[in-house]
Every structure is written in structure tokens, then in C-alpha cells.
Amino acid sequence: MGLNKKSVDDINVKGLRVLCRCDFNVPLKDGKITDENRLVAALPTIKKLIADGGKVILCSHLGKVKTEEDYTTKTLAPVAARLSELLGQEVKFAADREVVGPNARAAVEAMKDGDVILLENTRFRKEETKCGEEFSKDLASICDVFVNDAFGTAHRAHCSNVGVASLVDTAVVGYLMQKEIDFLGNAVENPVRPFVAILGGAKVADKLNVISNLLEKCDTLIIGGGMAYTFLKAKGYEIGHSLVDETKIDYCKEMMEKAEKLGKKLLLPVDSVMVDAFPNPIDAEIPTYVYDADVMAADKEACDIGPKTIELYADAVKTAKTVVWNGPMGVFENPILAAGTKAVAAALAETDATTIIGGGDSAAAVNQLGYGDKMSHISTGGGASLEFLEGKELPGVAAANDK
Ligand code: AMP
């Protein structure tokens, strides 16, 4: 995948209309933003474009737009208000149900260099998620340059990230996007070795291509979480009623053979924390039992990696120079079953290796434990980072001009 993309540092936007696709998909409660991390994260690129004298037109999606009510509750108006405060200058909100409508066009027309406006939720246009031509053309008609700084949607080809990029001469990436490409791209394509990849989460089926691709790229692949038990079953072990994907047993065998052939280490749990039944509610206080992998209880379910496995996995991380982690080691929503996930987070926090967290649950776990600033990079896009790890070309990245 060509990852050497032009960024906002490679262009001169003085006097130009710059459409900047951000990720302002923030949680809202009664019209109030409850977590503004994504707004704060977008500021460096926006400030750079302002400082360079561009006419900065921001756009983003916000949630899914399905019902009539969504046109009221999923407006980006609160984001414009908060961004104005964060930037210390007015961010004019272009309230147009058709996103690029009379209000937006008039607002763009009236812009001076260094001004900022925000368009309405791009998903107010039905064509957005289908990369429809009309909306892509509308967006292209109000800008000279396109900047994509929304990694979370980079694995999707929508009007506001891919359609518009194909219709303008200059399409580059912003700082956030650049950081994701640098860390995830380098880790997969050009890692400092030893490179250890840690995969967890519920299902093997969700991560088939990630497992296969990472096995080729890494030196050690560590498997934890629910998906580990399909591997253990493939090894012929009793796994009780642990999570298993019967249709993927042959696949797991294939992966174990592939690891052997390639001379890669594939680490699986050597012991697990089992419960009588999956906790209900998920955080219920229930008794737990530790079993070695080769003698697991037939009437129990494994819901976390055990203490010996924690030691084994932490040891593998200690000598690594690059670590990528995606997916929890157990049912971490329950504190009794969170020890494995916590231990992996702690091991990553302690190592000197470049540590990359692939979004989603592992990112949440790392942040909850207060290790956020100890990681080299926490990806902002769960789905997008997984597709990166699969070695797929992301349409949102591919659409930017090469250097
Ligand atoms: P994923 O969305 O694939 O990353 O999976 C995350 C989910 O996997 C979390 O909700 C965990 O509770 C769940 N999970 C992790 N380990 C296990 C396990 N051993 N058994 C059942 N579910 C698990």
C-alpha cells in the first residue's frame, strides 16, 4: 500500500477554500457534548490551516441518520459552538439540511482568509455513505483543496472522504491521519524487531485476515480472549463451554501450521480463568477457577487468561521493540475477569518498545487504567485500524495524493 501521502505540511493554502474532513462524531446528551476528545484532537490541523491563511470549511458526520428526529438531534451545531471556544475564534455554523445548500454556499462566499465554518452533519445527505456523485460534486464545488483528517472512517468510501477527493486536484491528509499512517503503517510494513502482535476479543471470524497478515509480518503473535479457545480446540484440547467457532477450527489449524512453517512464535493461553456460566449481568460477582490449558473443565467456560499466561505474555512483550495490540484478553467488563487485559496493558506501559493500540476495547482499557500517555500511539479508529492490520488499502488513505 502506498503510504507516502502528501500532508498539510506539503501544500500552500493561502487564500484557498480548504474543505477539511474531521471526525467530530462525538457523544451528545441533550444537545451537550459529553466527551470532547475528538474536537481537541482535531485542533492542530485546523490551527495550521488557519495560520496558513486558508478559508477553512470543516465537515464531519455525526452518528447514523435514520429517522426524522435525527435531523434535530444529530446536528453539528453544538460542535460549532464548542469549537469556537476551543479555537478562540468564531466557527460559523452553516445550517443546511442538504449540507451544501444556500446557507453553506453564502457562508463560503463571504469567507475571508483564516475564517472557519462548519457544515452540517454529512450524513444528512443519503448519498454520503454510498459515495454518491451529486453530494461529492456539491462538496467539491465549494473547495479548492481537500484535507482528510478523519481516520475513523478511512476504511469506508464515502462522499466526504473519497468522493470529494477524487474531484479536486489537491487532496492531502491532516496531522491526525498522518500519525495513524505513520504508526500503523510502519508497524506493519517496516517494524523495528522483535515485533509482537497481540490479538484478543470475542471471535476468530472477525479477525481472520488480521491473524493471517500479522503472522507474516510479526515475530511473535499472541492470542488471547474468546478467540483463543477455537485455537485450543483445534489443538485437540477440552475447552468446556468456552467460546468456540466450530467453522474456524480448520482455519486455526492452518494458522498454527503457517506459524511453524514461517518460524514464528504463536502464543496461546497456557492457563485460563474459568467460570460456571458467563456472568449475567456482565459485571456479576461470580466464583472463578484457574485451569491449565490441557486440563480445562468440561462443565465450565474460560473468560480470561490465567496467571501463568499473563507471565508468558508479559515476558514476550518485555523483549519486543514494536508491539501492536487489538482486543481484550478476557471479559474485561467484569473486574473479576479483567486481570489478563489489565496485565497486558501494564506490560505495554512498562516496555520501551513502540506500543500501538488498535482502537476499540483495548484503547478504552488502556485509558481507563490511566496508561494512555504511556503508549506510543492509540488509534482513533477501531474498524479502520483493524483493516490496516489486515494489510488492506484504506480508501480514505488511498484517495490522498502521493508525495
Ligand atoms: P471484540 O469486539 O471482538 O474485540 O471483542 C470484545 C469482547 O470480547 C468483549 O466484550 C469481551 O467481553 C469479549 N471476550 C473477551 N474474552 C472473552 C471470552 N473468553 N469469552 C467470551 N467473551 C470474551
Side-chain angles (χ1 to χ4, degrees):
M1 169 159 47
L3 288 176
N4 208 4
K5 295 293 174 182
K6 273 195 184 155
S7 83
V8 283
D9 284 332
D10 300 312
I11 53 168
N12 180 357
V13 298
K14 174 82 186 136
L16 298 179
R17 300 168 303 166
V18 189
L19 179 69
C20 183
R21 173 56 157 105
C22 299
D23 181 1
F24 295 149
N25 186 24
V26 289
L28 284 171
K29 193 159 192 273
D30 305 324
K32 292 247 175 327
I33 299 162
T34 55
D35 178 350
E36 63 182 29
N37 275 328
R38 286 184 167 163
L39 306 192
V40 174
L43 296 178
T45 299
I46 300 171
K47 284 182 177 166
K48 157 81 176 158
L49 296 170
I50 296 170
D52 287 355
K55 296 177 171 119
V56 186
I57 306 156
L58 306 173
C59 71
S60 171
H61 80 283
L62 175 62
K64 289 189 175 143
V65 178
K66 287 185 181 150
T67 64
E68 187 55 35
E69 201 195 346
D70 290 336
Y71 288 91
T72 316
T73 55
K74 298 200 176 144
T75 173
L76 279 169
V79 169
R82 184 63 189 133
L83 270 181
S84 301
E85 291 167 1
L86 291 169
L87 282 170
Q89 81 171 68
E90 189 195 6
V91 175
K92 194 176 166 56
F93 184 59
D96 263 317
R97 178 149 167 168
E98 61 269 50
V99 189
V100 182
N103 278 337
R105 290 191 188 280
V108 171
E109 195 67 31
M111 286 178 97
K112 294 196 277 303
D113 295 357
D115 280 355
V116 185
I117 69 169
L118 172 63
L119 303 181
E120 184 50 285
N121 184 352
T122 51
R123 293 214 180 145
F124 279 17
R125 288 284 288 262
K126 290 270 175 282
E127 316 103 283
E128 161 72 334
T129 53
K130 299 176 190 81
C131 205
E133 206 181 340
E134 274 309 297
F135 185 37
S136 301
K137 278 186 179 163
D138 279 350
L139 289 167
S141 73
I142 56 165
C143 70
D144 307 300
V145 172
F146 175 66
V147 174
N148 189 358
D149 213 16
F151 182 69
T153 47
H155 57 316
R156 305 270 179 254
H158 293 170
C159 295
S160 66
N161 66 341
V162 171
V164 62
S166 69
L167 297 173
V168 295
D169 290 336
T170 308
V172 303
V173 297
Y175 292 131
L176 274 180
M177 192 78 146
Q178 184 70 57
K179 189 167 180 247
E180 298 276 5
I181 296 172
D182 286 350
F183 276 100
L184 288 164
N186 269 335
V188 179
E189 300 306 331
N190 193 20
V192 182
R193 297 185 183 278
F195 170 25
V196 175
I198 308 171
L199 289 177
K203 294 190 198 129
V204 177
D206 292 344
K207 294 184 185 159
L208 294 178
N209 297 325
V210 185
I211 297 169
S212 173
N213 187 47
L214 284 180
L215 204 45
E216 281 165 26
K217 308 283 161 92
C218 72
D219 301 294
T220 301
L221 179 61
I222 293 178
I223 307 259
M227 60 196 267
Y229 302 98
T230 304
F231 278 90
L232 290 185
K233 178 135 191 193
K235 277 181 83 163
Y237 289 164
E238 167 70 60
I239 58 164
H241 42 251
S242 306
L243 209 59
V244 64
D245 192 340
E246 298 285 351
T247 65
K248 295 292 173 284
I249 289 176
D250 283 345
Y251 177 84
C252 291
K253 281 185 190 158
E254 237 174 74
M255 289 302 111
M256 291 189 282
E257 282 160 19
K258 182 170 169 170
E260 184 131 2
K261 221 185 276 166
L262 295 173
K264 306 291 172 82
K265 273 191 210 152
L266 176 61
L267 301 185
L268 296 168
V270 291
D271 60 350
S272 291
V273 177
M274 299 191 86
V275 296
D276 294 307
F278 194 84
N280 182 20
I282 193 139
D283 58 352
E285 262 189 64
I286 48 172
T288 59
Y289 319 84
V290 175
Y291 285 91
D292 283 345
D294 53 353
V295 290
M296 284 168 78
D299 63 344
K300 293 187 172 47
E301 173 168 359
C303 281
D304 195 9
I305 54 174
K308 290 181 198 162
T309 309
I310 287 179
E311 219 178 299
L312 177 73
Y313 290 4
D315 261 357
V317 167
K318 254 182 215 148
T319 49
K321 287 275 182 285
T322 306
V323 187
V324 169
W325 178 27
N326 181 291
M329 295 291 102
V331 183
F332 75 107
E333 295 92 335
N334 188 322
I336 296 172
L337 302 166
T341 304
K342 282 184 181 171
V344 165
L348 262 67
E350 272 164 33
T351 169
D352 293 331
T354 298
T355 45
I356 299 156
I357 313 300
D361 288 331
S362 0
V366 162
N367 284 324
Q368 257 168 39
L369 292 164
Y371 294 137
D373 58 357
K374 298 233 164 67
M375 305 299 162
S376 311
H377 180 63
I378 301 180
S379 177
T380 52
S385 66
L386 266 185
E387 291 202 13
F388 227 117
L389 299 180
E390 283 178 29
K392 272 194 192 159
E393 181 172 78
L394 306 191
V397 176
N401 303 150
D402 289 321
K403 265 197 183 164

